[in-house]
Amino acid sequence: MRTLLLALGLLLCMTARAADPRIHSGEQSLTFADYLELYERCKAREEFTPPRGEYETREEYRLRLERLRVGCDRHRLIERAQLQVPVFLDYQADQQRFVFELPQAEAFRIHYQPLIWDDFPAFLGKLPRDKWHVDDPTAKASVYKECQPRRVVLNEDFFTGLEPFRADSWRGCMTYYERGEEFAWRRDENTFYIEDVTFHVQASVDRARMLKEQEAQLYFVIDGRLKVPEREFVAQRVRLRNTATGTDFLQLLPE
């Protein structure tokens, strides 16, 4: 039984953490390793100071050094980047809802903060243990709750509603609370961490069957900015899209 549970856990992990997708920007489509290599090569050229040639004037040498030090900003930050990650549908027919989890990658982390509310209150009279997972063996409690999307746009021909949930006690959105005066709890406003983003999307059985027929063309299309040395992809929009037809079934957007 333990072996089976471990295997199921690994399967879920593989589903949520897909193999590293290619990152599209303009006309180029590269792996993260490719982007990192371009950046590191640029930094090596930038930091290298060749000797001045015997028959090279001071001005010629200065101009040659300037050409070497053109800067690596275009390799450090990739604007208008895009990921496409395949979607494998998980439908609960009795509840008439899909289960979705936004993907992660292996070589870099996708940050969804621009799309998720940081809605933890600054003060609490008591910790809502009936709604959140609370770990407070000391005066500083770590708390986890479901992640609330900022703005959701649904294709109403297929979906009727979206509800965030937390798939496990130690998942979702997290922050810290510390005991204050008079036994109140004060939030650590510098901490807001997204472990994962999971949500249910309501759909009737007939609509779910129609979507299942399109599964091979379904992708999470994630638009954002790639910060190469930090190994971070900052998401600015997520779409559930049929890439063959261009149909969007849901979108997560900033305010």
Short mmCIF file of all heavy atoms in Angstrom, two decimals, residues 18-60:
data_model
loop_
_atom_site.label_atom_id
_atom_site.label_comp_id
_atom_site.label_asym_id
_atom_site.label_seq_id
_atom_site.Cartn_x
_atom_site.Cartn_y
_atom_site.Cartn_z
N ALA A 18 5.71 19.70 -15.21
CA ALA A 18 5.97 19.14 -16.53
C ALA A 18 7.44 19.29 -16.90
O ALA A 18 8.17 20.07 -16.29
CB ALA A 18 5.10 19.85 -17.55
N ALA A 19 7.85 18.51 -17.89
CA ALA A 19 9.19 18.69 -18.44
C ALA A 19 9.33 20.12 -18.94
O ALA A 19 8.35 20.76 -19.33
CB ALA A 19 9.42 17.69 -19.56
N ASP A 20 10.55 20.63 -18.92
CA ASP A 20 10.76 22.04 -19.24
C ASP A 20 10.28 22.36 -20.65
O ASP A 20 10.78 21.82 -21.64
CB ASP A 20 12.25 22.38 -19.11
CG ASP A 20 12.68 22.39 -17.66
OD1 ASP A 20 11.85 22.73 -16.81
OD2 ASP A 20 13.84 22.05 -17.38
N PRO A 21 9.30 23.25 -20.77
CA PRO A 21 8.79 23.61 -22.09
C PRO A 21 9.74 24.59 -22.78
O PRO A 21 10.56 25.26 -22.14
CB PRO A 21 7.46 24.30 -21.76
CG PRO A 21 7.69 24.89 -20.40
CD PRO A 21 8.61 23.94 -19.67
N ARG A 22 9.64 24.68 -24.10
CA ARG A 22 10.39 25.69 -24.83
C ARG A 22 9.77 27.05 -24.55
O ARG A 22 8.56 27.18 -24.34
CB ARG A 22 10.39 25.38 -26.32
CG ARG A 22 11.04 24.05 -26.66
CD ARG A 22 11.13 23.82 -28.14
NE ARG A 22 12.17 24.63 -28.77
CZ ARG A 22 13.47 24.29 -28.79
NH1 ARG A 22 13.88 23.17 -28.20
NH2 ARG A 22 14.35 25.05 -29.39
N ILE A 23 10.61 28.06 -24.56
CA ILE A 23 10.19 29.43 -24.25
C ILE A 23 10.25 30.23 -25.55
O ILE A 23 11.31 30.36 -26.16
CB ILE A 23 11.07 30.06 -23.17
CG1 ILE A 23 11.04 29.20 -21.90
CG2 ILE A 23 10.61 31.48 -22.86
CD1 ILE A 23 12.09 29.59 -20.87
N HIS A 24 9.09 30.74 -25.95
CA HIS A 24 8.99 31.47 -27.21
C HIS A 24 9.11 32.97 -26.92
O HIS A 24 8.51 33.49 -25.99
CB HIS A 24 7.66 31.19 -27.90
CG HIS A 24 7.34 29.73 -28.00
ND1 HIS A 24 7.89 28.90 -28.96
CD2 HIS A 24 6.54 28.93 -27.25
CE1 HIS A 24 7.44 27.68 -28.81
NE2 HIS A 24 6.62 27.67 -27.77
N SER A 25 9.88 33.66 -27.75
CA SER A 25 9.99 35.11 -27.67
C SER A 25 10.28 35.63 -29.07
O SER A 25 11.36 35.37 -29.63
CB SER A 25 11.11 35.53 -26.71
OG SER A 25 11.23 36.94 -26.67
N GLY A 26 9.32 36.35 -29.63
CA GLY A 26 9.48 36.78 -31.01
C GLY A 26 9.52 35.56 -31.93
O GLY A 26 8.68 34.68 -31.86
N GLU A 27 10.57 35.50 -32.77
CA GLU A 27 10.71 34.39 -33.70
C GLU A 27 11.55 33.25 -33.13
O GLU A 27 11.68 32.21 -33.78
CB GLU A 27 11.33 34.89 -35.01
CG GLU A 27 10.44 35.89 -35.76
CD GLU A 27 11.05 36.31 -37.08
OE1 GLU A 27 12.20 35.89 -37.37
OE2 GLU A 27 10.38 37.05 -37.83
N GLN A 28 12.14 33.45 -31.95
CA GLN A 28 12.98 32.38 -31.41
C GLN A 28 12.20 31.51 -30.43
O GLN A 28 11.29 31.97 -29.74
CB GLN A 28 14.23 32.94 -30.75
CG GLN A 28 14.01 33.76 -29.50
CD GLN A 28 15.31 34.30 -28.93
OE1 GLN A 28 16.40 34.06 -29.47
NE2 GLN A 28 15.23 35.03 -27.83
N SER A 29 12.57 30.25 -30.39
CA SER A 29 11.96 29.27 -29.49
C SER A 29 13.08 28.41 -28.94
O SER A 29 13.62 27.55 -29.64
CB SER A 29 10.93 28.43 -30.25
OG SER A 29 10.37 27.44 -29.41
N LEU A 30 13.45 28.65 -27.67
CA LEU A 30 14.61 28.02 -27.07
C LEU A 30 14.23 27.39 -25.74
O LEU A 30 13.23 27.74 -25.12
CB LEU A 30 15.73 29.05 -26.84
CG LEU A 30 16.21 29.86 -28.04
CD1 LEU A 30 17.19 30.93 -27.61
CD2 LEU A 30 16.83 28.95 -29.08
N THR A 31 15.07 26.45 -25.30
CA THR A 31 14.93 25.93 -23.94
C THR A 31 15.52 26.93 -22.96
O THR A 31 16.29 27.82 -23.35
CB THR A 31 15.65 24.58 -23.79
OG1 THR A 31 17.06 24.79 -23.94
CG2 THR A 31 15.16 23.58 -24.82
N PHE A 32 15.20 26.76 -21.69
CA PHE A 32 15.79 27.64 -20.69
C PHE A 32 17.31 27.49 -20.68
O PHE A 32 18.04 28.49 -20.52
CB PHE A 32 15.23 27.35 -19.29
CG PHE A 32 15.90 28.19 -18.23
CD1 PHE A 32 15.55 29.51 -18.06
CD2 PHE A 32 16.90 27.64 -17.43
CE1 PHE A 32 16.18 30.29 -17.10
CE2 PHE A 32 17.53 28.42 -16.47
CZ PHE A 32 17.17 29.75 -16.31
N ALA A 33 17.81 26.27 -20.87
CA ALA A 33 19.26 26.06 -20.91
C ALA A 33 19.90 26.88 -22.01
O ALA A 33 21.01 27.41 -21.84
CB ALA A 33 19.57 24.58 -21.08
N ASP A 34 19.22 27.03 -23.15
CA ASP A 34 19.75 27.84 -24.25
C ASP A 34 19.83 29.31 -23.85
O ASP A 34 20.83 29.99 -24.11
CB ASP A 34 18.86 27.69 -25.48
CG ASP A 34 18.90 26.30 -26.07
OD1 ASP A 34 19.94 25.62 -25.94
OD2 ASP A 34 17.88 25.88 -26.66
N TYR A 35 18.75 29.82 -23.23
CA TYR A 35 18.75 31.22 -22.79
C TYR A 35 19.86 31.45 -21.76
O TYR A 35 20.54 32.48 -21.78
CB TYR A 35 17.40 31.60 -22.21
CG TYR A 35 16.32 31.84 -23.23
CD1 TYR A 35 15.32 30.90 -23.45
CD2 TYR A 35 16.29 33.01 -23.98
CE1 TYR A 35 14.32 31.12 -24.38
CE2 TYR A 35 15.29 33.24 -24.92
CZ TYR A 35 14.31 32.29 -25.11
OH TYR A 35 13.32 32.50 -26.05
N LEU A 36 20.03 30.51 -20.84
CA LEU A 36 21.05 30.65 -19.82
C LEU A 36 22.45 30.65 -20.43
O LEU A 36 23.32 31.44 -20.03
CB LEU A 36 20.92 29.53 -18.79
CG LEU A 36 21.85 29.59 -17.57
CD1 LEU A 36 21.62 30.88 -16.79
CD2 LEU A 36 21.65 28.39 -16.68
N GLU A 37 22.67 29.80 -21.42
CA GLU A 37 23.98 29.75 -22.07
C GLU A 37 24.28 31.06 -22.80
O GLU A 37 25.41 31.57 -22.75
CB GLU A 37 24.03 28.58 -23.05
CG GLU A 37 25.38 28.44 -23.75
CD GLU A 37 25.43 27.25 -24.68
OE1 GLU A 37 24.43 26.53 -24.79
OE2 GLU A 37 26.49 27.05 -25.33
N LEU A 38 23.29 31.63 -23.48
CA LEU A 38 23.49 32.91 -24.16
C LEU A 38 23.86 34.00 -23.16
O LEU A 38 24.75 34.82 -23.42
CB LEU A 38 22.22 33.30 -24.92
CG LEU A 38 21.89 32.49 -26.17
CD1 LEU A 38 20.50 32.88 -26.70
CD2 LEU A 38 22.95 32.72 -27.24
N TYR A 39 23.19 34.01 -22.01
CA TYR A 39 23.48 35.01 -20.98
C TYR A 39 24.89 34.82 -20.42
O TYR A 39 25.65 35.80 -20.28
CB TYR A 39 22.44 34.93 -19.87
CG TYR A 39 22.79 35.76 -18.66
CD1 TYR A 39 22.67 37.15 -18.70
CD2 TYR A 39 23.24 35.16 -17.48
CE1 TYR A 39 22.99 37.92 -17.60
CE2 TYR A 39 23.57 35.93 -16.38
CZ TYR A 39 23.45 37.32 -16.45
OH TYR A 39 23.78 38.08 -15.36
N GLU A 40 25.25 33.59 -20.10
CA GLU A 40 26.56 33.34 -19.51
C GLU A 40 27.69 33.64 -20.49
O GLU A 40 28.75 34.15 -20.10
CB GLU A 40 26.64 31.90 -19.00
CG GLU A 40 25.74 31.65 -17.78
CD GLU A 40 25.73 30.22 -17.32
OE1 GLU A 40 26.15 29.34 -18.12
OE2 GLU A 40 25.32 29.97 -16.17
N ARG A 41 27.49 33.34 -21.75
CA ARG A 41 28.49 33.68 -22.76
C ARG A 41 28.66 35.18 -22.88
O ARG A 41 29.77 35.70 -23.02
CB ARG A 41 28.11 33.07 -24.11
CG ARG A 41 28.33 31.57 -24.21
CD ARG A 41 28.04 31.08 -25.62
NE ARG A 41 28.35 29.67 -25.77
CZ ARG A 41 28.23 28.99 -26.90
NH1 ARG A 41 27.81 29.62 -28.00
NH2 ARG A 41 28.52 27.71 -26.97
N CYS A 42 27.54 35.90 -22.83
CA CYS A 42 27.60 37.35 -22.90
C CYS A 42 28.35 37.92 -21.71
O CYS A 42 29.18 38.82 -21.86
CB CYS A 42 26.18 37.92 -22.97
SG CYS A 42 26.11 39.72 -23.10
N LYS A 43 28.06 37.40 -20.52
CA LYS A 43 28.76 37.88 -19.32
C LYS A 43 30.26 37.61 -19.42
O LYS A 43 31.08 38.43 -19.00
CB LYS A 43 28.17 37.20 -18.08
CG LYS A 43 26.79 37.67 -17.71
CD LYS A 43 26.77 39.14 -17.31
CE LYS A 43 27.52 39.39 -16.02
NZ LYS A 43 27.46 40.82 -15.63
N ALA A 44 30.62 36.45 -19.96
CA ALA A 44 32.05 36.13 -20.10
C ALA A 44 32.73 37.12 -21.04
O ALA A 44 33.85 37.58 -20.78
CB ALA A 44 32.21 34.70 -20.59
N ARG A 45 32.07 37.47 -22.15
CA ARG A 45 32.64 38.44 -23.08
C ARG A 45 32.72 39.82 -22.44
O ARG A 45 33.70 40.55 -22.62
CB ARG A 45 31.78 38.53 -24.35
CG ARG A 45 31.86 37.31 -25.26
CD ARG A 45 31.28 37.63 -26.63
NE ARG A 45 29.88 38.02 -26.54
CZ ARG A 45 28.86 37.19 -26.62
NH1 ARG A 45 29.08 35.89 -26.77
NH2 ARG A 45 27.62 37.63 -26.55
N GLU A 46 31.69 40.15 -21.66
CA GLU A 46 31.64 41.47 -21.02
C GLU A 46 32.77 41.64 -20.02
O GLU A 46 33.32 42.74 -19.86
CB GLU A 46 30.28 41.64 -20.35
CG GLU A 46 30.00 43.03 -19.84
CD GLU A 46 28.62 43.14 -19.24
OE1 GLU A 46 28.31 42.36 -18.31
OE2 GLU A 46 27.83 43.98 -19.70
N GLU A 47 33.10 40.57 -19.31
CA GLU A 47 34.10 40.65 -18.25
C GLU A 47 35.54 40.43 -18.76
O GLU A 47 36.49 40.64 -18.03
CB GLU A 47 33.77 39.62 -17.17
CG GLU A 47 32.45 39.93 -16.45
CD GLU A 47 31.97 38.78 -15.59
OE1 GLU A 47 32.68 37.75 -15.53
OE2 GLU A 47 30.88 38.91 -14.98
N PHE A 48 35.69 39.99 -20.01
CA PHE A 48 37.02 39.72 -20.55
C PHE A 48 37.66 41.02 -21.05
O PHE A 48 37.03 41.80 -21.77
CB PHE A 48 36.91 38.72 -21.70
CG PHE A 48 38.21 38.47 -22.42
CD1 PHE A 48 39.28 37.88 -21.76
CD2 PHE A 48 38.35 38.84 -23.75
CE1 PHE A 48 40.48 37.65 -22.42
CE2 PHE A 48 39.53 38.61 -24.42
CZ PHE A 48 40.60 38.02 -23.76
N THR A 49 38.91 41.27 -20.67
CA THR A 49 39.67 42.44 -21.12
C THR A 49 40.89 41.96 -21.89
O THR A 49 41.88 41.54 -21.29
CB THR A 49 40.10 43.32 -19.94
OG1 THR A 49 38.95 43.73 -19.20
CG2 THR A 49 40.86 44.55 -20.43
N PRO A 50 40.83 42.01 -23.23
CA PRO A 50 41.98 41.56 -24.01
C PRO A 50 43.12 42.58 -23.94
O PRO A 50 42.87 43.77 -23.68
CB PRO A 50 41.41 41.46 -25.43
CG PRO A 50 40.33 42.50 -25.46
CD PRO A 50 39.73 42.49 -24.07
N PRO A 51 44.33 42.16 -24.19
CA PRO A 51 45.45 43.12 -24.19
C PRO A 51 45.38 44.02 -25.41
O PRO A 51 44.82 43.65 -26.45
CB PRO A 51 46.68 42.21 -24.23
CG PRO A 51 46.20 40.95 -24.88
CD PRO A 51 44.78 40.78 -24.43
N ARG A 52 45.95 45.19 -25.27
CA ARG A 52 46.02 46.12 -26.40
C ARG A 52 47.05 45.63 -27.40
O ARG A 52 48.15 45.20 -27.04
CB ARG A 52 46.39 47.52 -25.90
CG ARG A 52 46.53 48.58 -26.98
CD ARG A 52 46.91 49.89 -26.36
NE ARG A 52 47.32 50.87 -27.37
CZ ARG A 52 47.78 52.09 -27.09
NH1 ARG A 52 47.89 52.46 -25.81
NH2 ARG A 52 48.14 52.90 -28.05
N GLY A 53 46.68 45.67 -28.69
CA GLY A 53 47.58 45.21 -29.73
C GLY A 53 48.77 46.14 -29.91
O GLY A 53 48.69 47.36 -29.67
N GLU A 54 49.86 45.57 -30.37
CA GLU A 54 51.09 46.35 -30.53
C GLU A 54 50.91 47.49 -31.51
O GLU A 54 51.48 48.58 -31.35
CB GLU A 54 52.23 45.43 -30.98
CG GLU A 54 53.57 46.12 -31.14
CD GLU A 54 54.66 45.17 -31.59
OE1 GLU A 54 54.37 43.97 -31.78
OE2 GLU A 54 55.80 45.62 -31.76
N TYR A 55 50.13 47.26 -32.57
CA TYR A 55 49.93 48.27 -33.61
C TYR A 55 48.53 48.87 -33.53
O TYR A 55 48.00 49.36 -34.53
CB TYR A 55 50.16 47.66 -34.99
CG TYR A 55 51.59 47.20 -35.20
CD1 TYR A 55 51.94 45.89 -34.93
CD2 TYR A 55 52.55 48.10 -35.63
CE1 TYR A 55 53.25 45.48 -35.10
CE2 TYR A 55 53.88 47.68 -35.81
CZ TYR A 55 54.22 46.37 -35.54
OH TYR A 55 55.52 45.97 -35.70
N GLU A 56 47.97 48.86 -32.34
CA GLU A 56 46.61 49.37 -32.12
C GLU A 56 46.68 50.68 -31.37
O GLU A 56 47.32 50.77 -30.31
CB GLU A 56 45.79 48.34 -31.33
CG GLU A 56 44.31 48.66 -31.22
CD GLU A 56 43.54 47.53 -30.52
OE1 GLU A 56 44.15 46.83 -29.67
OE2 GLU A 56 42.37 47.33 -30.83
N THR A 57 46.04 51.72 -31.90
CA THR A 57 46.05 53.00 -31.21
C THR A 57 45.16 52.93 -29.96
O THR A 57 44.33 52.02 -29.82
CB THR A 57 45.53 54.13 -32.12
OG1 THR A 57 44.13 53.90 -32.39
CG2 THR A 57 46.31 54.18 -33.44
N ARG A 58 45.37 53.91 -29.11
CA ARG A 58 44.56 53.95 -27.89
C ARG A 58 43.08 54.06 -28.22
O ARG A 58 42.24 53.41 -27.59
CB ARG A 58 45.00 55.13 -27.02
CG ARG A 58 44.34 55.18 -25.63
CD ARG A 58 44.73 56.43 -24.89
NE ARG A 58 46.17 56.53 -24.77
CZ ARG A 58 46.90 55.91 -23.80
NH1 ARG A 58 46.28 55.16 -22.92
NH2 ARG A 58 48.21 56.06 -23.75
N GLU A 59 42.73 54.87 -29.24
CA GLU A 59 41.33 55.05 -29.61
C GLU A 59 40.76 53.77 -30.21
O GLU A 59 39.62 53.40 -29.92
CB GLU A 59 41.21 56.21 -30.60
CG GLU A 59 39.79 56.48 -31.08
CD GLU A 59 38.84 56.92 -29.96
OE1 GLU A 59 39.30 57.24 -28.85
OE2 GLU A 59 37.61 56.93 -30.22
N GLU A 60 41.53 53.09 -31.04
CA GLU A 60 41.07 51.83 -31.62
C GLU A 60 40.84 50.79 -30.53
O GLU A 60 39.86 50.02 -30.57
CB GLU A 60 42.09 51.31 -32.63
CG GLU A 60 42.14 52.12 -33.91
CD GLU A 60 43.29 51.71 -34.80
OE1 GLU A 60 44.30 51.17 -34.27
OE2 GLU A 60 43.21 51.92 -36.02
#
